[in-house]
Amino acid sequence: MRRIALAWCFAAAFAAAVPALAQEAPKPAPEIASPAAPKSAVRSKRWMAAAANPLAAEAAAEMLRAGGSAVDAAAAAQFVLGLVEPQSSGLGGGAFLVHFNAASGELTTLDGRETAPAAATPTLFQDDRGEPLAFMDAVVGGRSVGVPGTPRLLEAAHRRYGKLAWGRLFGPALKLAEEGFEVSPRLAAQIAEDAPRLGRDAAARAYFLPGGTPLAAGSRITNRAYARTLAALRDGGADAFYAGPMAAEIVAAVRNAENPGVLSVDDLARYAIVERPPACAPYRAVEICGMGPPSSGGIAVAQILGMLANSDLAALGPKSPEAWRLIGDAQRLAFADRERYVADPAFVPQPTAGLVARDYLDRRARLLTGGRALEKAEAGEPKFSHAGRFAPDTAIELPGTSHLVVVDAAGDVVSMTTTIEAGFGSRLMVRGFLLNNELTDFSFRSHKDGAPVTNRVEPGKRPRSSMAPTIVMKDGRPVFAVGSPGGSQIIGYVAKTLIAHLDWGMDPAAAAALPNMLNRRGPFELEKGTEAETLAEPLKALGFEIKLDDMTSGVQAIAIGPDGLTGGADPRREGVAIGE
Ligand code: GLU
């Protein structure tokens, strides 16, 4: 297993520097919240799949029943998600896939992140005076569209780990696209809310707002353009997407949009996924493994848990203000490092090993021993062989993404977070699918105080992500797989689910349902209308500023135990787990 190596010892340096708190991007757009009564956990013996929509989970189950691998199931689910949950992910987006291969014992990660076009420059999201554009002005249209990664990722994963024929993976999605499916309540609500923006692209308007009216929940629709796209991919592989008429049409849509982008057919032709070692850090008896840079998710989740490893969270329990003080301040420290360091490793040297090294996390954990909220949470100085002067990127992201987990009968595991960035991405629709707005995950500011911003736009660069598809390992075998959408809140959602399961003994469904609480270096965000509100006063008394908000996570998780599999889906969205 290739890992980023770790070593623990004590030391006490702590570096300050970065101006705190100021988050530059606007507030995340409101997501539709729904009540968080736990869905029951699902148990099975042989295999299981959990995805954000029942039709997608069923497509995965169909592959697994037929003897397919976890990757076969994930691909079939993704093709369906692009149809039934088009606001969150699809062929026009990107994804990170963490994979455990039971036969070889190898854990690896595949980076299918969108990439900036070769003609993109650091001023892509600035006006004539060099000022950052308003967020939504940057999102809608062609400017925000990065080279999609999902088709190439699924093909590459299938070549490595697939068992069923490639063509078979398209069966469920093709049938639904041609014969029709019911618009889910969540999709309908999001279309209604986004109608003014969706209406700006002719193809999106025709599909989502037929006759000018948003599609209603329960209405049955087909998507024949998407069916033709799927058939082209089935017959021609990912090349049918990245070259030829489909590529030309994607480029034309981006360049002719009201807010045109600079994508070219060469950018599409050049796109390649990257296999990377997982970023892992020990936590009690297990190891938390996830996606390294360009995602900040894996490192941040591993850091948060790594800093809490010497605190007895189990004894404190989920209702303890002291437990949440520790978790909240560990999150603040992890976010400070994320802002200071993490970006595409091909452009900015990354101290990944140093950030998850045990001695470093112990040093950071010692900051948490004061009993009250930290006065300030600054980036640390991890061990690193490079020097560099970069300014931090404090932007936060808009939520609109999906997570799926699969365990197959052979023991292979997939944990994949997949996205088109904001809900409905760039709102540009081509051949039945939406194009991403992932480039707005870059910093709009190119420099600050004379230093380049780590996560600024550069040609061919991948924007920093917060996605945190995770597999927890124990003695070299997977024991838990989890992830969530939610922009930079993903980091908190995943860390919470892991703590709830590993320390508080909750099954995946109960762990996902537990109220969300998160500190991203600003106020302590508590999930509105839940029991989290009872912690507002005690946390205030410990020195935190409090903000009540909707926190619409979309966790999917599977626990892998000696007696079988236990899965759960987040009650805040429409996901389910299916197993046999
Ligand atoms: N674009 C975000 C990222 O890569 C994900 C957005 C979301 O989760 O909704 O981190």
Side-chain angles (χ1 to χ4, degrees):
M1 196 183 306
R2 291 194 294 137
R3 298 283 178 84
I4 287 165
L6 315 159
W8 293 72
C9 74
F10 270 91
F14 170 57
V18 182
L21 297 186
Q23 305 264 338
E24 282 181 6
K27 231 171 85 52
E31 280 249 347
I32 296 118
S34 37
K39 297 174 179 171
S40 313
V42 174
R43 286 171 222 287
S44 74
K45 286 288 176 207
R46 294 173 45 241
W47 54 256
M48 186 172 286
N53 178 286
L55 295 168
E58 187 46 53
E62 190 180 319
M63 299 301 121
L64 294 165
R65 257 180 224 119
S69 69
V71 159
D72 294 332
Q78 175 66 77
F79 296 138
V80 173
L81 286 171
L83 179 69
V84 302
E85 199 199 31
Q87 72 274 30
S88 296
S89 75
L91 298 174
F96 294 125
L97 192 155
V98 184
H99 186 267
F100 176 74
N101 180 338
S104 67
E106 200 188 22
L107 188 71
T108 194
T109 71
L110 301 179
D111 169 354
R113 184 71 164 165
E114 297 91 332
T115 299
T121 68
T123 59
L124 183 69
F125 295 118
Q126 296 173 6
D127 65 18
D128 296 344
R129 291 168 302 130
E131 287 303 313
L133 297 178
F135 198 78
M136 272 304 166
D137 291 347
V139 166
V140 179
R143 193 190 293 241
S144 63
V145 179
V147 185
T150 300
R152 197 57 95 195
L153 172 73
L154 296 177
E155 182 185 68
H158 178 260
R159 281 188 182 153
R160 283 174 171 78
Y161 309 117
K163 280 191 183 152
L164 301 177
W166 171 247
R168 182 134 186 212
L169 315 183
F170 293 84
L174 270 170
K175 189 167 186 311
L176 290 164
E178 280 163 358
E179 294 177 11
F181 67 96
E182 265 187 25
V183 173
S184 78
R186 187 172 172 81
L187 172 55
Q190 295 214 294
I191 294 170
E193 187 184 81
D194 202 63
R197 285 190 279 260
L198 283 170
R200 283 158 65 176
D201 176 72
R205 183 170 63 241
Y207 182 66
F208 292 110
L209 311 165
T213 311
L215 288 170
S219 52
R220 212 178 157 75
I221 56 164
T222 57
N223 185 342
R224 293 190 202 288
Y226 186 63
R228 285 191 293 276
T229 295
L230 290 174
L233 276 162
R234 176 195 62 196
D235 300 339
D239 285 347
F241 183 97
Y242 290 95
M246 204 177 321
E249 204 174 316
I250 292 169
V251 167
V254 167
R255 292 192 167 236
N256 300 330
E258 60 171 70
N259 180 14
V262 293
L263 189 72
S264 74
V265 288
D266 289 344
D267 293 322
L268 283 154
R270 254 197 304 268
Y271 185 83
I273 65 140
V274 187
E275 182 169 2
R276 303 181 187 278
C280 298
Y283 183 64
R284 311 197 196 287
V286 299
E287 231 185 335
I288 311 290
C289 293
M291 190 74 220
S295 191
S296 61
I299 292 174
V301 168
Q303 283 193 320
I304 292 163
L305 272 77
M307 282 183 258
L308 297 169
N310 300 327
S311 305
D312 195 351
L313 295 180
L316 291 169
K319 294 187 178 167
S320 148
E322 171 64 1
W324 286 102
R325 175 190 72 81
L326 290 163
I327 296 168
D329 271 348
Q331 289 170 334
R332 289 168 70 196
L333 293 171
F335 268 84
D337 279 350
R338 166 187 185 272
E339 290 163 13
R340 168 76 180 79
Y341 293 109
V342 182
D344 184 341
F347 290 77
V348 182
Q350 295 293 294
T352 307
L355 287 169
V356 295
R358 185 151 190 151
D359 60 341
Y360 177 69
L361 294 176
D362 267 346
R363 215 155 76 208
R364 302 285 275 167
R366 287 174 66 177
L367 298 169
L368 306 178
T369 52
R372 281 187 62 78
L374 288 175
E375 267 173 34
K376 50 186 186 159
E378 310 285 18
E381 292 289 340
K383 187 160 180 270
F384 194 28
S385 55
H386 286 62
R389 181 158 188 261
F390 288 100
D393 175 14
T394 54
I396 52 176
E397 298 133 22
L398 293 187
T401 295
S402 202
H403 185 77
L404 61 89
V405 280
V406 186
V407 181
D408 69 23
D412 281 11
V413 181
V414 165
S415 185
M416 178 169 94
T417 312
T418 171
T419 185
I420 54 170
E421 216 303 280
F424 302 102
S426 64
R427 278 74 174 178
L428 299 182
M429 198 168 195
V430 179
R431 296 199 176 208
F433 60 87
L434 287 160
L435 295 174
N436 70 83
N437 67 300
E438 215 69 47
L439 300 186
T440 58
D441 273 359
F442 282 118
S443 169
F444 286 21
R445 285 192 195 278
S446 44
H447 52 276
K448 211 184 222 159
D449 304 329
V453 172
T454 46
N455 184 35
R456 71 190 182 285
V457 186
E458 295 181 78
K461 190 176 180 183
R462 298 182 179 208
R464 184 187 69 192
S465 171
S466 301
M467 296 193 290
T470 303
I471 295 183
V472 179
M473 304 291 290
K474 188 174 185 188
D475 304 326
R477 307 303 293 180
V479 291
F480 195 68
V482 62
S484 176
S488 56
Q489 290 177 314
I490 289 172
I491 290 164
Y493 299 156
V494 171
K496 173 212 75 174
T497 308
L498 287 166
I499 292 165
H501 179 67
L502 297 168
D503 288 310
W504 298 330
M506 297 183 193
D507 69 39
L514 191 70
N516 286 317
M517 300 175 57
L518 166 63
N519 196 318
R520 291 183 281 174
R521 266 187 111 207
F524 214 132
E525 300 164 77
L526 309 184
E527 190 175 3
K528 207 160 67 185
T530 71
E531 264 202 65
E533 290 190 2
T534 62
L535 284 158
E537 286 308 319
L539 287 172
K540 232 188 252 175
L542 288 171
F544 292 102
E545 194 191 318
I546 302 295
K547 181 178 164 201
L548 301 180
D549 214 346
D550 292 330
M551 297 175 78
T552 312
S553 52
V555 170
Q556 260 70 240
I558 298 177
I560 306 155
D563 303 325
L565 308 169
T566 312
D570 201 311
R572 299 167 188 81
R573 300 198 188 207
E574 294 170 335
V576 296
I578 301 177
E580 276 174 20

